[in-house]
Amino acid sequence: MTEENALSLHDAPTRSMNMIEAINDALDIMMARDPDIVILGEDVGYFGGVFRATAGLQKRYGRNRVFDSPINECGIVGAAVGMAAYGLRPVPEIQFADYIYPGLDQLVSEAARMRYRSAGEFTSPITIRSPFGGGIFGGQTHSQSPEAMFTHVAGLKTVIPATPHDAKGLLIAAIEDNDPVIFFEPKRIYNGPFDGYYDKPSRTWKGHPGSLVPEGYYKIPLGKARIVREGAALTVLSYGTMVHVAEAVLAEKGIDAEIIDLRTLVPLDMATVEKSVEKTGKCLVIHEATRTSGFGAELVTLVQERCFYHLEAPVERVTGFDTPYPHSLEWAYFPGPVRIGEAVDRLMKE
Amino acid sequence: MAEKTAPDTGRVRGNLPPLELYVPEPRYRPGDVVDYSHLPVPPAGQLGRPDENCPASETWPMTTDMIRVLDEEDRAVGPWNPGLDAETLRRMLRTMALTRAFDDRMYRGQRQGKTSFYMKCTGEEAISVAHAHALAHDDMVFPTYRQQGILISRGYPLVEMVNQIYSNRADKLKGRQLPVMYSAKDYGFFSISGNLATQYPQAVGWAMASAIKGDTRIATAFVGEGSSAEGDFHAAMTFAAVYNAPVVLNVVNNQWAISSFSGFAGAERTTFAARAAGYGIAGLRVDGNDALAVYAASRWAADRARANQGPTLIEHFTYRAEGHSTSDDPSAYRSAQEREEWPLGDPIMRLKKHLIALGEWSEAQQEAMDRELVEQVKVATKEAEKNGVLGHGLHHPFHTMFEDVFEELPWHLEEQAAQAIREREIKWPEWKGEGA
């Protein structure tokens, strides 16, 4: 546990949860606290969502506050923008991040700029939850990682948790935030952390320190990274599923790497990154999204601009390939231990 | 071997005729003689008026016909006559005339280089003004750029409108929005987007929120007939129908979307109001140049929404008498005669003549009022000009460019703000503006 996490716990009793349970817990707590929070999305009501993240909430808070929507992401996001303008705090679910594009204009041109264009008269305190990323044989339409599209947009915040503990604390912070937040949930680790070897059995969250979720309300501030593991030889920047893959690979290789889970891409905790790179002199960026113009390009540039005189090797990035996600070759696409391992070896040789 | 890249063409199936692509073409182009005889203008007062609580299906005749109240003799006739008192009629006439006077002045302001852009609503004044008069003052309107009449109806200060158009240092939107893209929350006027039809699902969401909270306020939204082709229009219709949202969805069919005629939004197949039927919601088609008909239809739909009977789609049939904006030249794509011979007349003249026919107004009063309104606009414009005009330096401090992107300024925007201010000191060392 890092310092920030420890501070946020307030010595509350903890319960081991998977990420879905933690998200459900966060939604439950926030809906009980704030009657203006409403949840809408495909299948989120009676059924509780295809991943069960909203299970039980309609029964508890009524159909006025948790309800199914038409299959129409433009309508889901557009209605949420209007609800927010009224004074509600909608938490829409987009069933898969791959389906967010019909709602993109409402997000990018409307929600993101509502505060700016109206000089604060109208705001969009919306938290859009959406499962993203691959590793579950979802094919090209259930596996994408579109986070870079949103980080490119002025006015949107992008949040990606890597543990159940963080998922709950970050989601609570996102819902309380008065700006529109894209909350991407790495669905590969909904049920357990993951080392990148698909042919090894998946573990559950049980026993993982990140699965110990405090009871009740707590939040993890947006814009604050988590140092997963301290180290002196290499800084690894990552988020979501890839944090766990990086951890497994570096432990296996026995490298004294400092692994940073960024948690939020916008706003970015650049101070923590700079401090680490200045210490280690080497930096590796890992994400699952396609390579060209991915968020890794931004991270590498920032490190180069701000830490150049501390660097002992070129900053590297390990990413998915610049292809759509292939169904049968998913494990050839996935930036797993081999790809990460090669990059680590190159960096450590410098 | 080269790959075949084009499909085979020709008659591959014996004697079937080749398929033909149909591309709509307006009836008249510049220089053409206009003949509106194809356009049915039903007599005023003929159409029945169903109860506001009727099933949506009963409004079908109203979606293909046209609700009209003012007849050829300038009388208000038929079941849709809202029976407004003379005082209200005079107020509506005055607001419509003020809207036109304001448009004329701002159009000239753009030509004089005081702003980059302006959009008139000439010929459409009845739609926004009569609609606003039919609503409660606190209902939320999600407008397009051609409903300035709503702001004026609700008493929004003209000076504030001009400040926004001139993007000066008093502009409440801090010079960030294109001219005429107002936002006035306290006047129930939602922030205008340049992306078309996005306000439609937002209005439905606002109306749903009002219903969730057990409020009594409703939402209304506007879209041009051209942007009814956007996906957002259909998303909004679906959501409005599914949740029985207390919303009035208006389509202003002014025949032209910049240079594309209404055929490119599907007008040749059916009316825009008729689209309501497919969603199972109420629909009304109204003479948009008849202020009384617009009032009556808007009031009917607003009452229906307020009684939990759900949404209504209203098509306001009208004509965009001027160009799309100051950046447009309509003489390049349509016959000049179109405007002159528009069979539904001018909304201000029609209401004026109705009041005169009632014995409640006169030509002399109209002339005096017009002079007074020109003066009122002039005074407001002069007042606003004290705060600056576009490009003359009297704008908001540079730091405001970085504010309101987020509630709080993150480090990267703070850094960029510092850079912008540093650049200013180099580029304009004589700068004496207020603040950073």
Side-chain angles (χ1 to χ4, degrees):
Chain A
M1 287 286 154
T2 66
E3 200 182 11
E4 300 89 67
N5 285 358
L7 283 174
S8 71
L9 301 185
H10 296 301
D11 297 323
T14 58
R15 194 151 57 88
S16 180
M17 288 186 193
N18 67 28
M19 199 181 277
I20 285 288
E21 289 163 338
I23 287 163
N24 186 271
D25 192 30
L27 293 170
D28 190 3
I29 287 167
M30 292 310 288
M31 291 201 82
R33 286 168 73 101
D34 184 350
D36 289 334
I37 294 171
V38 294
I39 292 174
L40 68 157
E42 294 153 25
D43 302 305
V44 300
Y46 184 86
F47 182 57
V50 291
F51 290 103
R52 321 294 299 139
T54 56
L57 296 176
Q58 185 180 70
K59 200 171 175 193
R60 193 161 306 158
Y61 299 103
R63 286 186 298 176
N64 255 11
R65 294 186 59 198
V66 184
F67 49 88
D68 289 346
S69 77
I71 302 175
N72 188 319
E73 289 76 14
C74 165
I76 294 170
V77 183
V81 171
M83 290 174 180
Y86 179 92
L88 301 186
R89 301 184 84 86
V91 187
E93 176 181 297
I94 301 295
Q95 204 159 69
F96 286 89
D98 312 65
Y99 304 158
I100 211 162
Y101 307 116
L104 205 62
D105 187 46
Q106 285 287 349
L107 272 173
V108 167
S109 310
E110 302 294 314
R113 299 206 294 254
M114 196 58 72
R115 178 192 298 281
Y116 195 74
R117 80 182 201 207
S118 70
E121 274 201 328
F122 296 98
T123 57
S124 291
I126 302 168
T127 302
I128 292 170
R129 293 182 35 249
S130 190
F132 90 124
I136 60 155
F137 282 110
Q140 55 174 316
T141 55
H142 299 77
S143 308
Q144 291 167 43
S145 300
E147 65 273 18
M149 290 193 185
F150 298 96
T151 61
H152 190 59
V153 177
L156 291 181
K157 293 180 177 172
T158 304
V159 178
I160 298 171
T163 66
H165 172 275
D166 280 11
K168 179 175 170 182
L170 287 167
L171 182 54
I172 286 174
I175 292 171
E176 285 192 349
D177 198 279
N178 288 324
D179 292 314
V181 179
I182 313 291
F183 192 86
F184 278 135
E185 299 165 6
K187 59 183 167 301
R188 182 62 187 80
I189 55 171
Y190 267 156
N191 293 312
F194 174 63
D195 60 13
Y197 288 101
Y198 94 100
D199 49 349
K200 284 188 187 171
S202 281
R203 288 189 291 140
T204 67
W205 278 107
K206 224 170 179 56
H208 190 284
S211 78
L212 292 177
V213 177
E215 303 273 6
Y217 172 95
Y218 68 96
K219 61 177 172 178
I220 296 171
L222 307 187
K224 203 89 187 106
R226 173 177 69 109
I227 297 172
V228 179
R229 199 182 90 174
E230 292 194 354
L234 168 68
T235 298
V236 175
L237 306 179
S238 196
Y239 48 89
T241 303
M242 299 314 297
V243 170
H244 300 277
V245 181
E247 231 186 322
V249 174
L250 290 153
E252 202 170 283
K253 284 191 168 284
I255 288 167
D256 182 26
E258 182 145 298
I259 299 175
I260 296 177
D261 170 9
L262 295 171
R263 284 175 166 163
T264 59
L265 307 188
V266 177
L268 184 66
D269 183 359
M270 199 54 207
T272 296
V273 173
E274 282 177 54
K275 203 172 146 199
S276 177
V277 176
E278 283 170 14
K279 177 174 69 175
T280 64
K282 292 178 181 180
C283 183
L284 174 64
V285 172
I286 305 174
H287 65 58
E288 194 184 324
T290 47
R291 186 176 186 83
T292 302
S293 302
F295 192 68
E298 182 63 33
L299 289 170
V300 171
T301 306
L302 280 168
V303 169
Q304 190 280 136
E305 281 175 349
R306 304 171 89 93
C307 311
F308 182 77
Y309 293 106
H310 297 273
L311 289 173
E312 295 158 16
V315 186
E316 284 234 22
R317 58 183 161 155
V318 173
T319 69
F321 296 131
D322 285 338
T323 71
Y325 225 100
H327 182 239
S328 69
L329 296 179
E330 188 176 283
W331 293 103
Y333 177 94
F334 193 86
V338 175
R339 208 175 307 160
I340 296 170
E342 281 185 353
V344 170
D345 290 344
R346 275 195 300 273
L347 277 164
M348 298 318 291
K349 260 189 251 159
E350 291 281 338
Chain B
M1 204 175 111
E3 288 286 323
K4 205 182 272 184
T5 53
D8 284 333
T9 55
R11 299 185 179 195
V12 293
R13 289 200 200 160
N15 60 356
L16 285 176
L19 296 169
E20 294 171 357
L21 178 69
Y22 173 71
V23 179
E25 176 63 20
R27 286 170 183 264
Y28 323 110
R29 286 299 193 186
D32 288 348
V33 174
V34 167
D35 173 9
Y36 279 121
S37 60
H38 70 283
L39 199 155
V41 178
Q46 296 285 294
L47 209 52
R49 182 187 181 280
D51 187 83
E52 288 95 337
N53 297 315
C54 74
S57 57
E58 276 186 33
T59 62
W60 175 251
M62 258 63 67
T63 66
T64 52
D65 206 319
M66 196 187 290
I67 297 166
R68 306 184 73 231
V69 173
L70 291 172
D71 73 3
E72 305 306 315
E73 276 81 49
D74 309 312
R75 295 171 307 191
V77 295
W80 283 94
N81 178 8
L84 297 174
D85 59 72
E87 179 64 27
T88 305
L89 292 173
R90 277 192 295 264
R91 196 168 65 240
M92 278 173 33
L93 177 68
R94 184 184 180 87
T95 311
M96 286 161 63
L98 178 56
T99 302
R100 188 167 291 181
F102 184 81
D103 273 1
D104 288 344
R105 179 90 193 183
M106 289 298 102
Y107 186 90
R108 286 209 308 280
Q110 191 275 338
R111 291 300 191 239
Q112 292 163 353
K114 291 174 183 169
T115 187
S116 57
F117 178 77
Y118 191 73
M119 302 178 99
K120 298 173 94 171
C121 67
T122 313
E124 302 175 32
E125 293 90 347
I127 297 165
S128 53
V129 171
H131 183 78
H133 278 75
L135 298 179
H137 74 281
D138 53 356
D139 290 332
M140 182 62 83
V141 182
F142 289 72
T144 76
Y145 41 70
R146 231 181 284 283
Q147 276 82 50
Q148 51 268 58
I150 288 171
L151 270 183
I152 295 175
S153 296
R154 287 183 163 177
Y156 190 70
L158 295 184
V159 178
E160 297 293 356
M161 293 174 76
V162 184
N163 285 336
Q164 197 282 325
I165 291 162
Y166 287 173
S167 290
N168 61 27
R169 64 180 169 187
D171 172 12
K172 292 197 159 157
L173 305 184
K174 302 186 183 174
R176 294 168 183 161
Q177 276 276 52
L178 269 181
V180 313
M181 297 210 177
Y182 316 99
S183 176
K185 191 178 187 182
D186 292 345
Y187 291 78
F189 194 89
F190 190 72
S191 153
I192 296 177
S193 179
N195 290 37
L196 301 177
T198 52
Q199 70 277 16
Y200 241 49
Q202 293 164 6
V204 175
W206 196 99
M208 289 168 67
S210 189
I212 286 168
K213 284 302 195 183
D215 199 338
T216 56
R217 293 175 294 163
I218 63 165
T220 82
F222 284 84
V223 74
E225 92 287 345
S227 26
S228 73
E230 289 280 9
D232 292 62
F233 174 87
H234 303 277
M237 294 289 281
T238 302
F239 271 63
V242 167
Y243 300 107
N244 203 43
V247 65
V248 182
L249 298 167
N250 299 278
V251 176
V252 178
N253 178 2
N254 69 10
Q255 317 299 325
W256 291 94
I258 308 187
S259 71
S260 297
F261 85 115
S262 57
F264 284 101
E268 291 178 337
R269 307 274 170 176
T270 183
T271 68
F272 292 97
R275 295 180 185 192
Y279 293 93
I281 72 176
L284 305 174
R285 185 161 174 267
V286 58
D287 175 352
N289 290 20
D290 177 342
L292 295 186
V294 170
Y295 180 96
S298 301
R299 189 61 192 263
W300 187 95
D303 287 349
R304 181 179 176 84
R306 239 182 279 282
N308 277 312
Q309 299 297 323
T312 303
L313 177 72
I314 304 179
E315 173 184 352
H316 302 264
F317 196 76
T318 185
Y319 187 78
R320 194 194 75 208
E322 294 280 356
H324 167 71
S325 73
T326 45
S327 307
D328 176 38
D329 173 15
S331 72
Y333 54 80
R334 69 185 190 188
S335 169
Q337 262 194 304
E338 278 192 28
R339 169 183 178 165
E340 288 155 28
E341 298 192 14
W342 181 246
L344 298 176
D346 178 286
I348 296 179
M349 292 306 114
R350 283 174 73 189
L351 185 55
K352 177 189 84 173
K353 287 200 271 182
H354 173 56
L355 268 162
I356 291 172
L358 288 175
E360 295 285 352
W361 196 241
S362 68
E363 289 288 357
Q365 281 175 295
Q366 180 84 14
E367 278 174 31
M369 180 183 78
D370 282 342
R371 278 196 302 275
E372 186 195 330
L373 294 178
V374 165
E375 186 57 28
Q376 185 184 340
V377 173
K378 190 175 159 190
V379 168
T381 308
K382 293 283 171 212
E383 184 65 28
E385 280 180 17
K386 289 180 193 160
N387 303 314
V389 297
L390 183 68
H392 284 214
L394 286 175
H395 46 63
H396 281 269
F398 279 26
H399 195 268
T400 61
M401 175 162 52
F402 302 90
E403 294 163 7
D404 299 319
V405 177
F406 296 105
E407 187 177 36
E408 285 164 21
L409 216 61
W411 62 269
H412 64 286
L413 288 181
E414 201 62 90
E415 283 186 5
Q416 290 166 28
Q419 167 159 9
I421 291 159
R422 204 162 54 243
E423 285 176 15
R424 187 201 70 202
E425 284 158 4
I426 297 163
K427 284 164 80 176
W428 297 292
E430 72 288 0
W431 177 268
K432 294 284 184 289
E434 293 162 31

